[in-house]
Amino acid sequence: MTTPIVAAPDGFSLPDEQRRLIKWTVYLGFIVLAVGVLNGLDQALNYAHIDIFRFFPGMRTYYQGLTAHGVFNAIIMTFAFANGFVAMAVARGLGMKLNHGLLAASFWTILVGTLLTAGAIVNGTASVLYTFYPPLEASWPFYLGLALVVISTWITSANLFVTLAKFRREHPGQRIPLLAYMGVVTYVFWDISSLGIVVEVVVFLLPWSLGLWHGADPLVDRTLFWFTGHPIVYFWLLPIYMSWYGMIPRQVGGALFSDSVVRISFLLFLIIIPIGFHHQFVDPGVSRELKYAVAVLTFAVFVPSLMTAFSVMYALEIGGRRAGGNGLIGWFFRIPWKDPSVCAQVLAMLAFMLGGITGLMNASYTMNLEIHNTTFVPGHFHLTVGTAVALSIMGIAYWLVPYLEQKELWSAKAGLVSSWLYFIGVLIFARGMISGGLAGMPRRTAISLVPYAEPPGWRLAGILVGVGGSLMFIGAVLFFVVIAMTVLAGKRTEIADIPYSVTLVTPQTSGWEPGLDRLRYWIVASVLLCVIIYGPFLASQFPLQLNVPGFRAF
Ligand code: HAS
Ligand code: CU
């Protein structure tokens, strides 16, 4: 028997004014993405020794461009997309409208935050990159803006919790529908994860930029940053998993084989938050034992992604076989490749397999010593956030924008060309970044300006990065054309519902499985592990050394 994973399987639509707010939240993400992507072209060409920085306002130097690229794409776009998409999916999953005041508050907060942060980057007072490590110092609007961007996600969380509480009151004894479950766990996970960066920015960096502290404590600030900076990557990823689990099976005519596997995978992400130290393997001042414990936990967080890989692959296989595909891999060619939404997301999954493998390499301590701070790392993360996430968001947009606008997609063909260009581009780009990194090419460096003879391997790597990055850029531009034309010139149509998956096995209401929905126990487990890993380290840092003066390099 197949069971829908939504509470209102026969259709539910959000009130128009809520749909409008969700639309503008998502569009804010797309606008920011467009600026970020433009700032990606200059970065990629830099590796091929082509310097276009001087031609564009807002990216006059390498570091200004890199800050814009990282902050806009990786922080603001992803958060805006999550605030809109996840809220919409939770509402749909529960079959209930959201709290309107909170939805509006979240939108305005992220809008003001974006304007403040963008203003500081564009006027050149915040070229501190997306990790903003002190003692590099930015002007206060940068930090305040980022704080507001994070607060907008907390407001969205509040909205999800209020709506879920109402659902539980009205449907006592029922399991949380899977689509809503994934969204709520994503935000609970993020609420805990974001505490590090909030303390760093609100307690230390913002007052410091206003002259209230006289210096910064770089190790403590870096540690707080990576407390959040690691799990942030799953806050980017989990909304995409919602689509891969909760929507893609439906879009390919398949089904999810297990409801519980999905919930367990999300709970594993929720529990394994405190592994940010794997970004600090080379930091002095962090003990060997702590680094070892975190390396082991990092391998553990590989598991829920492997579970996802197998579940989603099986869902694709069911769809492909139902469409007449057979043999070991014949089904793979029978999924609807002509649907740009499916095509983009399956290509994103393929890229993510390589992203996952490179992640495992990063996590291995001895390998990390080899590749840390080299271009290997951007090679890894353009396969993960840069493709698994970004290309999936483009794929989702191919049905989401038509749904939000009630208009037909402008050109499916252009969407397909865009997806393939982006995918082929990232493979070339990442090949360049990864081989360059293995040859010692540093990341975050204006390679086009290095005054010494390049070591072997750098030249070819740089050219591949330039060529691959340009293809990704062209693919992304085509995506924006499709979306803009859909909004401006799409034919009116009526799209009643979003795609949502069915599961082969009904969610159980007895036995151990309902325990997966008792979120408070899992939250306690998650917080406990954070305290065990971070508590002793942070306690050992007192009294804090707030004495390193800030400086502006660019
Ligand atoms: Fe990472 C650095 C380890 C995942 C993003 N990572 C970064 C940075 C970013 C980033 C942005 O341990 C740089 C930060 C900076 O600026 O310094 N990462 C990992 C590990 C994983 C991982 C172990 N990373 C991600 C994801 C990201 C992301 C996801 C963004 C969304 N990463 C590290 C480490 C560093 C690091 C170290 C520090 C490096 C350093 O020294 O600086 C794992 O979670 C990955 C698990 C993934 C998988 C893949 C599953 C595949 C799926 C697709 C299935 C395909 C299908 C189609 C279904 C196990 C789900 C198939 C069909 C067929 C027919 C085949
Ligand atoms: Cu990490």
Side-chain angles (χ1 to χ4, degrees):
M1 195 187 96
T2 54
T3 310
I5 58 166
V6 289
D10 301 328
F12 157 82
S13 51
L14 275 174
D16 278 348
E17 67 278 9
Q18 299 207 347
R19 194 196 289 230
R20 236 185 336 264
L21 276 170
I22 285 174
K23 181 170 94 178
W24 283 108
T25 308
V26 171
Y27 287 2
L28 173 68
F30 290 160
I31 293 166
V32 167
L33 179 67
V35 183
V37 160
L38 189 61
N39 282 282
L41 181 65
D42 57 22
Q43 298 298 315
L45 290 179
N46 157 67
Y47 282 96
H49 292 261
I50 301 168
D51 178 358
I52 59 167
F53 294 104
R54 68 196 101 124
F55 300 123
F56 295 99
M59 49 170 150
R60 285 176 297 269
T61 69
Y62 173 80
Y63 288 100
Q64 194 177 16
L66 187 51
T67 306
H69 181 60
V71 171
F72 290 164
N73 286 354
I75 302 184
I76 302 180
M77 182 278 283
T78 48
F79 286 21
F81 179 78
N83 282 351
F85 175 70
V86 176
M88 187 201 70
V90 169
R92 180 63 192 93
L94 297 175
M96 296 179 88
K97 65 180 188 292
L98 298 156
N99 178 301
H100 192 71
L102 290 172
L103 200 57
S106 170
F107 171 72
W108 290 108
T109 308
I110 196 166
L111 180 65
V112 174
T114 302
L115 292 175
L116 282 171
T117 304
I121 294 173
V122 171
N123 76 18
T125 58
S127 297
V128 292
L129 309 186
Y130 82 141
T131 42
F132 46 89
Y133 293 144
L136 276 180
E137 192 178 8
S139 59
W140 64 266
F142 177 80
Y143 300 119
L144 181 60
L146 282 182
L148 290 175
V149 169
V150 175
I151 289 170
S152 81
T153 63
W154 287 3
I155 298 173
T156 300
S157 304
N159 204 345
L160 305 190
F161 303 155
V162 169
T163 313
L164 177 65
K166 197 157 163 245
F167 175 87
R168 281 182 150 159
R169 272 198 310 275
E170 291 175 11
H171 304 82
Q174 259 193 34
R175 298 290 303 274
I176 306 172
L178 187 58
L179 203 54
Y181 182 91
M182 291 189 278
V184 170
V185 174
T186 299
Y187 269 81
V188 171
F189 159 86
W190 171 245
D191 291 338
I192 301 171
S193 302
S194 57
L195 289 174
I197 219 170
V198 168
V199 172
E200 184 200 10
V201 168
V202 175
V203 178
F204 296 114
L205 301 187
L206 181 58
W208 177 53
S209 67
L210 292 166
L212 298 175
W213 295 118
H214 295 299
D217 184 327
L219 179 58
V220 169
D221 286 333
R222 278 169 71 84
T223 303
L224 290 170
F225 179 84
W226 285 116
F227 177 86
T228 301
H230 166 71
I232 208 175
V233 311
Y234 300 120
F235 185 51
W236 302 332
L237 185 69
L238 293 184
I240 303 309
Y241 276 10
M242 289 173 67
S243 166
W244 292 1
Y245 277 127
M247 293 153 190
I248 277 286
R250 170 70 162 249
Q251 289 175 277
V252 301
L256 267 177
F257 82 94
S258 164
D259 172 278
S260 298
V261 161
V262 182
R263 292 182 204 243
I264 292 170
S265 143
F266 271 68
L267 288 179
L268 283 172
F269 283 113
L270 171 62
I271 292 172
I272 311 175
I273 287 176
I275 54 177
F277 283 116
H278 69 218
H279 296 263
Q280 296 175 268
F281 277 153
V282 301
D283 277 22
V286 183
S287 74
R288 208 171 42 179
E289 291 71 22
L290 193 49
K291 288 176 182 172
Y292 180 76
V294 163
V296 172
L297 281 173
T298 303
F299 290 121
V301 88
F302 209 67
V303 173
S305 283
L306 283 180
M307 290 165 62
T308 305
F310 291 120
S311 288
V312 176
M313 217 181 288
Y314 187 38
L316 296 181
E317 183 175 344
I318 296 174
R321 290 199 189 280
R322 281 181 184 167
N326 41 38
L328 193 59
I329 53 166
W331 56 267
F332 189 60
F333 302 101
R334 287 300 182 94
I335 57 176
W337 283 100
K338 294 236 159 65
D339 174 347
S341 176
V342 169
C343 174
Q345 293 186 71
V346 175
L347 293 178
M349 291 171 198
L350 293 178
F352 192 44
M353 301 206 318
L354 298 173
I357 294 165
T358 47
L360 206 54
M361 295 173 179
N362 293 340
S364 314
Y365 182 78
T366 39
M367 182 71 191
N368 189 277
L369 298 184
E370 194 67 27
I371 54 82
H372 184 67
N373 273 342
T374 72
T375 54
F376 188 97
V377 176
H380 160 68
F381 70 67
H382 282 83
L383 290 164
T384 52
V385 63
T387 303
V389 173
L391 186 54
S392 288
I393 288 179
M394 296 184 208
I396 293 167
Y398 292 137
W399 64 257
L400 180 61
V401 171
Y403 169 74
L404 292 171
E405 293 285 344
Q406 295 290 306
K407 288 180 179 168
E408 281 175 16
L409 188 69
W410 175 70
S411 164
K413 211 172 251 163
L416 288 173
V417 174
S418 156
S419 309
W420 279 103
L421 277 177
Y422 195 93
F423 177 68
I424 295 167
V426 79
L427 293 184
I428 299 172
F429 173 94
R431 160 66 171 76
M433 283 287 191
I434 286 171
S435 68
L438 292 175
M441 189 156 77
R443 68 183 284 204
R444 300 182 148 172
T445 302
I447 292 288
S448 62
L449 304 180
V450 295
Y452 47 87
E454 286 181 301
W458 287 26
R459 178 46 65 103
L460 174 65
I463 292 172
L464 292 175
V465 169
V467 171
S470 301
L471 286 178
M472 292 166 78
F473 176 74
I474 298 167
V477 169
L478 205 51
F479 162 75
F480 290 118
V481 170
V482 173
I483 295 305
M485 290 303 288
T486 303
V487 172
L488 300 174
K491 261 197 255 147
R492 286 235 151 260
T493 183
E494 270 186 32
I495 304 170
D497 207 351
I498 68 172
Y500 59 82
S501 311
V502 292
T503 42
L504 293 177
V505 182
T506 325
Q508 304 298 305
T509 44
S510 59
W512 57 272
E513 285 164 306
L516 301 173
D517 291 13
R518 291 193 196 105
L519 293 178
R520 77 186 65 156
Y521 300 110
W522 303 106
I523 293 171
V524 170
S526 168
V527 172
L528 260 180
L529 192 60
C530 291
V531 172
I532 292 171
I533 297 286
Y534 275 86
F537 176 81
L538 288 175
S540 75
Q541 298 301 305
F542 284 91
L544 300 179
Q545 313 285 321
L546 294 171
N547 52 17
V548 179
F551 70 95
R552 293 203 174 143
F554 305 97

